[in-house]
Amino acid sequence: MTLLSQTIQYALSGLTTGSIYAIVGICWSTVFLISGVLNFTTGEFVMLGGMLTWAYANAGMNLGLAAGLAIVTSILVAALLERVVINPVRYPSETTYMLITIAAASVIKGVILLTYGTDARRIRPFLEIEPINIFGATLVPQVLVVLGVLVAITLVLWLFFNHTLFGKALRASSINQIGASLIGIEISRFRLFCFALAGALGAVSGIVFAPISFTGYNLGFMAGVKGLVVAIVGGWTIAGTVAAGLALGLVEGFAAGYISTGWKDAIALFIMILFLVLQTVDFSKRFRKRPS
Amino acid sequence: MKKFAWMVLVLSGMVLTSFVTGFAQTQAPYVLGFTLDLTGLRAELAKPMRSGALIRIDEINETGGVNGRPLKAIFYDGESNPVKNVQNVKRLIEVDKAVATMGFSAVDASMAAAQIAEDGKILLYSGSPSIVTGKPPKKWMFTVVPDQRVASIPILLKNLLARGSKKVAYIYIDTAMGNLGIAAFNWSAEKLGITPAIVEKYQPGAVDVSPQLAHIKASGADGLLVTGNLADTVRVIKTARDLGMEYPIVSDYAVVGPEFITLSGKYGEGIVTTSLKTLVADELPDSDAQKKVCMDLYNKYTKQFGAFSLYAGHTWDQVNMVAMALRKIDPKLDPTKEKDLEIMRSNIRDNLEKLKGIVGQNGVFNYSEGDHIGLAEGCYVPVLVQGAKWRLYKGK
C-alpha cells in the first residue's frame, strides 16, 4: 500500500464513522433544540435499529421489510418513552430529564440483552457487490449506503426545518417555549414528534452501520457519547453537527492511521472538552452566529 | 412369655435401627458443590458447564455411584459476579456440606473464593484458566484448564509458517486478554525465531479497524494472527478480506464455537484457530488416547443439548476426577457427620494430587504437589472452519 492509498483508506474510514456520528448527533440536537431534553437514550436507538432488524430478519422476513419494521418499532418505543416517562414529569428540569433518560437507556439495553443475549449479530449488506478499489484503497459498498443516508437525512431535515410550516413552527417554539405555550401551542406534542424523529433516525443509522461493524446490545452507549460530542461541537445545529461529525470521524481516522489507534477516543473527547471551554470564553461568542 | 415379648421387641428394634442406618448409609450422597455464572455476561460459558457436569454425574450414578453412595450436584448461580460466587462457596461449605467445590467459570470468581476455600479446608476445583493455581500452586486450588500460553499462539504461529508465511503480522485487542496475547506472542515468536512484520492493537468494541489493517497491508505481511473477542475478531477478519488480504489468517482460541460460524459467514471459511480435542473428537486419529472419552461426551452432549461447547469438558473432567479421588477414601466415612466430612475433604485434595495419567476431555492429567494444572502441551489442536463447521486441521 502506498502512502496515497493509505491516506485514502484512513479518509474512507473516517467518513464512515463520521457519518454515523453525524446522524446520531442530529438525533441529539433535534430533541435538545426543540424540547431542552438531553436524551441519553439516543445511542440505544442506534442499537435498537440494528438488533431489531437482525431479529426480524432472523425470524424469516426479508431485509427491507425487517429494516422498515425495526424503524417503526423504534419510533413506537421513542414515542412511548416520551409519553410514559418524559411527559408526566411535573417539575421538569434538565437534570431530571437527563437522569430519566439515562435510566430509560439502561432499561432498553437490559430488555434487548435479556431477549436476544450478549452475542454480536450480523446483518447482510444491502448492496451485495464486491469492494471497490480506489487508488489501492478499498471502499466497501455499504459505506456508500451510509454516506447516501447521511446526505438524504441532512437534505430532508434542512428542507423540513426551513421550508415547511410545521418545521418553522418547531424552530420558532424552541426559541421561546414559554412564549409558544402562551399563544396556545402545545409544546409536549412537538416534543413527542422530536422524540419519534430521533428514534427513527437513530434506528436508521444503526441499521445501515450494522453490516459494516455488527450490532450488539452494548454498542449504544459509545455511539451515543460520540453523537453528543459532535452535537455540542456543532453548536446544536444540523449543518454544524454534520460538519462536526464528519470532521471528528476524519480526525479519528487520521489519528489512528498516522499517530496511534490508542489515541483515537482520547482525541475525540479532548476536542469536546476544548470546545466546551472555548465556548465559555467571551471572544468566541463574537464570531459565533446564532443557532439557526 | 413377657420375657419373650421383650426379646422380640429388642430384636425387632435392632433390626429396624440397622435397617434404617443401613438405608441411610447407602442413601446419603456425596454432595458436589458447584458455583457457576448461570446468568449475566458469562452465562454462555456456564450453561454448558452445568450440562457437562450432569452428564458425568449421571454416568457415575448409573454404574452404582461412588463407594455405594450416589453423587449429588448442587448448582448455585454466581451471576457473573465474583462476590456472589464467594457467597455460594461459603454456603456450599457450611450449609450444604459439600465434599468439594467446583465449577468456577471465571478467573475472578476462582481468585475471589480462594481464601474461603483455604479457610474451609475444601478443594476449589476451578474451570478457568490455569493462572489461578499460582506458582507454587495454592494448596486447595486445582484447575482442569491447560496453560494458556501454549494453548494457542505457538501452535498458530507454527501453522502460519507451515503454510508458507514469511512475514507474520499480529493484531490484538487492547485489554487484559490482549496483553496476555502479546506476552504469549513475544514469548513464542522468540522461541520460533520469528521477527514480526508489524504488531498492531485495537480498542475493545472498535467499530472500525481499517486504519490498523491498512498499516498491516502496507507492511507487506503475508500471514496474520488475531487476538480478540468474538465480534472484534470477526470484524478484523472481515476488514482484512475486504481490503484484499488473501493470505492465511489465524485467530487466537477464544473464538472457537458455533457463534463464530454464524457471525462470520463466508468470511470465516478457512480461518484456523485452536481448540481442545472434544470439539473435533470424531476426526481425531484412532491412536489418540482421548478419542473414546471425547467422542462419548460429544455424542451425549449434542444429543441432549445441541451444538457442542468445549466448556462442558471442564466440568466433566472435574466430576470425573473428584469421583476418582473419592473412590480412594475410607468408604465408612459419613458425609453427614461434621468430623468425617473434614477428613473426607482433605483426603479428596490429597488423592487428587496423586492422580496420574487420567484421560479426560481437556487432556491427560498428571497432578503433583508442584503442579495443580496437570496438563502437558498438546492439549490443543489446530482446527479450521470448513463448510460452516469446525474441523480438525490436517495440513494441506
Side-chain angles (χ1 to χ4, degrees):
Chain A
M1 262 184 141
T2 60
L3 195 64
L4 173 70
S5 54
Q6 279 190 54
T7 310
I8 298 176
Q9 195 70 62
Y10 303 148
L12 285 175
S13 152
L15 282 179
T16 319
T17 38
S19 306
I20 299 299
Y21 297 163
I23 301 176
V24 181
I26 291 175
C27 299
W28 283 94
S29 14
T30 42
V31 173
F32 183 71
L33 263 189
I34 313 290
S35 61
V37 178
L38 266 183
N39 179 11
F40 274 82
T41 57
T42 306
E44 302 309 323
F45 286 98
V46 179
M47 180 272 288
L48 267 186
M51 282 305 277
L52 290 175
T53 307
W54 169 82
Y56 293 144
N58 208 37
M61 277 181 211
N62 89 17
L63 192 58
L65 187 65
L69 209 56
I71 296 172
V72 172
T73 317
S74 302
I75 293 175
L76 291 178
V77 173
L80 196 72
L81 178 78
E82 200 278 337
R83 282 293 107 165
V84 176
V85 296
I86 300 287
N87 197 37
V89 177
R90 282 184 66 194
Y91 303 106
S93 72
E94 274 184 28
T95 327
T96 327
Y97 283 144
M98 201 168 83
L99 289 175
I100 289 174
T101 56
I102 289 176
S106 296
V107 172
I108 295 174
K109 185 170 154 181
V111 169
I112 293 294
L113 168 68
L114 290 175
T115 324
Y116 300 118
T118 54
D119 291 348
R121 308 293 185 184
R122 185 175 59 121
I123 303 178
R124 212 154 41 77
F126 301 164
L127 294 175
E128 294 207 80
I129 49 177
E130 287 297 302
I132 304 154
N133 193 316
I134 308 171
F135 299 111
T138 312
L139 173 66
V140 184
Q142 186 67 25
V143 171
L144 293 175
V145 178
V146 173
L147 290 172
V149 164
L150 174 67
V151 172
I153 287 177
T154 316
L155 268 179
V156 169
L157 285 183
W158 181 77
L159 286 175
F160 171 70
F161 280 116
N162 291 297
H163 293 275
T164 65
L165 185 62
F166 187 47
K168 285 183 194 165
L170 272 175
R171 277 173 51 214
S173 64
S174 78
I175 294 171
N176 191 334
Q177 292 200 15
I178 297 174
S181 28
L182 280 178
I183 57 167
I185 294 172
E186 204 184 325
I187 296 290
S188 90
R189 273 175 54 203
F190 283 179
R191 190 171 54 211
L192 177 65
F193 172 79
C194 290
F195 264 81
L197 180 66
L201 295 182
V204 168
S205 68
I207 293 167
V208 293
F209 205 51
I212 298 178
S213 185
F214 312 128
T215 185
Y217 81 99
N218 59 353
L219 68 75
F221 178 72
M222 208 54 197
V225 168
K226 291 287 177 67
L228 179 59
V229 172
V230 302
I232 292 172
V233 173
W236 303 104
T237 66
I238 292 187
T241 306
V242 171
L246 292 176
L248 180 69
L250 287 170
V251 167
E252 279 193 10
F254 286 120
Y258 292 124
I259 306 170
S260 149
T261 50
W263 283 97
K264 221 170 77 161
D265 291 336
I267 289 172
L269 295 172
F270 176 73
I271 290 178
M272 182 183 80
I273 294 171
L274 199 70
F275 257 81
L276 287 175
V277 171
L278 284 180
Q279 277 186 343
T280 61
V281 181
D282 260 354
F283 66 79
S284 69
K285 279 190 185 141
R286 217 174 292 164
F287 299 101
R288 225 156 36 93
K289 281 203 297 189
R290 266 189 69 158
S292 57
Chain B
M1 190 62 203
K2 212 176 178 180
K3 218 176 189 177
F4 180 72
W6 265 112
M7 266 173 72
V8 169
L9 200 67
V10 168
L11 256 171
S12 57
M14 274 165 73
V15 170
L16 202 68
T17 30
S18 72
F19 180 74
V20 168
T21 51
F23 186 76
Q25 248 165 24
T26 49
Q27 285 302 303
Y30 292 127
V31 174
L32 306 181
F34 286 84
T35 173
L36 287 168
D37 297 324
L38 294 168
T39 57
L41 279 176
R42 293 195 289 260
E44 304 303 316
L45 275 64
K47 282 178 203 154
M49 287 177 83
R50 177 170 61 186
S51 310
L54 287 173
I55 288 176
R56 189 61 189 140
I57 288 170
D58 284 348
E59 282 170 355
I60 291 171
N61 285 343
E62 271 164 30
T63 52
V66 177
N67 304 337
R69 293 173 189 275
L71 298 180
K72 180 184 164 201
I74 292 182
F75 293 98
Y76 286 131
D77 181 9
E79 297 170 12
S80 302
N81 174 1
V83 177
K84 185 74 194 168
N85 276 288
V86 171
Q87 291 166 352
N88 290 346
V89 171
K90 230 176 151 55
R91 184 154 177 209
L92 287 166
I93 296 173
E94 285 165 10
V95 182
D96 299 303
K97 314 284 180 213
V99 295
T101 62
M102 43 229 273
F104 297 95
S105 24
V107 174
D108 58 6
S110 317
M111 298 291 231
Q115 196 54 48
I116 303 282
E118 198 93 357
D119 295 344
K121 294 195 171 28
I122 188 167
L123 170 69
L124 189 162
Y125 212 170
S126 174
S128 59
S130 52
I131 49 164
V132 298
T133 61
K135 258 179 193 167
K138 294 191 184 76
K139 190 179 175 197
W140 297 90
M141 178 90 98
F142 286 70
T143 186
V144 289
V145 184
D147 185 353
Q148 301 299 289
R149 212 167 40 162
V150 296
S152 170
I153 287 176
I155 302 174
L156 293 171
L157 284 176
K158 281 181 207 154
N159 179 279
L160 282 178
L161 294 180
R163 290 157 79 190
S165 296
K166 303 235 158 22
K167 297 170 81 180
V168 175
Y170 181 48
I171 179 166
Y172 65 98
I173 187 169
D174 198 6
T175 60
M177 175 194 187
N179 290 333
L180 287 177
I182 182 73
F185 179 82
N186 290 335
W187 177 76
S188 40
E190 200 187 311
K191 251 175 92 176
L192 293 167
I194 298 173
T195 318
I198 186 169
V199 175
E200 282 283 339
K201 63 180 170 184
Y202 60 92
Q203 306 296 309
V207 289
D208 183 17
V209 286
S210 54
Q212 289 93 324
L213 285 155
H215 286 172
I216 290 173
K217 199 176 173 190
S219 76
D222 57 3
L224 175 63
L225 169 61
V226 192
T227 293
N229 298 316
L230 182 65
D232 304 303
T233 303
V234 176
R235 195 172 295 130
V236 169
I237 294 170
K238 180 177 175 297
T239 313
R241 292 295 190 224
D242 280 344
L243 290 183
M245 296 148 86
E246 300 295 339
Y247 43 73
I249 299 180
V250 296
S251 163
D252 217 341
Y253 65 99
V255 301
V256 79
E259 301 85 5
F260 178 82
I261 290 171
T262 1
L263 190 62
S264 63
K266 66 170 180 169
Y267 293 99
E269 284 294 311
I271 300 296
V272 173
T273 184
T274 61
S275 162
L276 290 161
K277 288 178 180 171
T278 319
L279 186 69
V280 288
D282 56 331
E283 293 186 79
L284 292 173
D286 290 335
S287 56
D288 196 302
Q290 287 171 254
K291 179 157 183 164
K292 200 187 158 293
V293 287
C294 291
M295 284 277 283
D296 222 36
L297 175 64
Y298 186 90
N299 291 337
K300 274 188 189 150
Y301 188 96
T302 43
K303 212 163 134 193
Q304 284 183 48
F305 305 102
F308 185 73
S309 163
L310 285 171
Y311 295 98
H314 294 358
T315 36
W316 192 98
D317 279 340
Q318 289 174 348
V319 173
N320 186 39
M321 283 183 283
V322 165
M324 285 180 174
L326 271 170
R327 287 212 163 91
K328 291 187 190 143
I329 65 167
D330 182 358
K332 287 199 206 80
L333 290 171
D334 182 353
T336 53
K337 288 182 188 144
E338 198 62 45
K339 212 162 213 157
D340 285 7
L341 191 61
E342 208 170 289
I343 302 167
M344 289 176 62
R345 284 173 175 170
S346 109
N347 283 351
I348 289 174
R349 194 214 78 90
D350 297 344
N351 294 340
L352 195 65
E353 206 167 59
K354 289 181 201 128
L355 288 182
K356 299 277 180 249
I358 307 302
V359 177
Q361 300 295 337
N362 290 3
V364 179
F365 290 87
N366 289 294
Y367 286 122
S368 69
E369 205 183 320
D371 182 8
H372 286 187
I373 305 168
L375 291 163
E377 283 187 42
C379 298
Y380 284 86
V381 288
V383 293
L384 87 163
V385 182
Q386 206 172 48
K389 187 179 183 298
W390 287 107
R391 304 182 64 114
L392 185 65
Y393 180 85
K394 290 172 179 155
K396 276 184 184 162

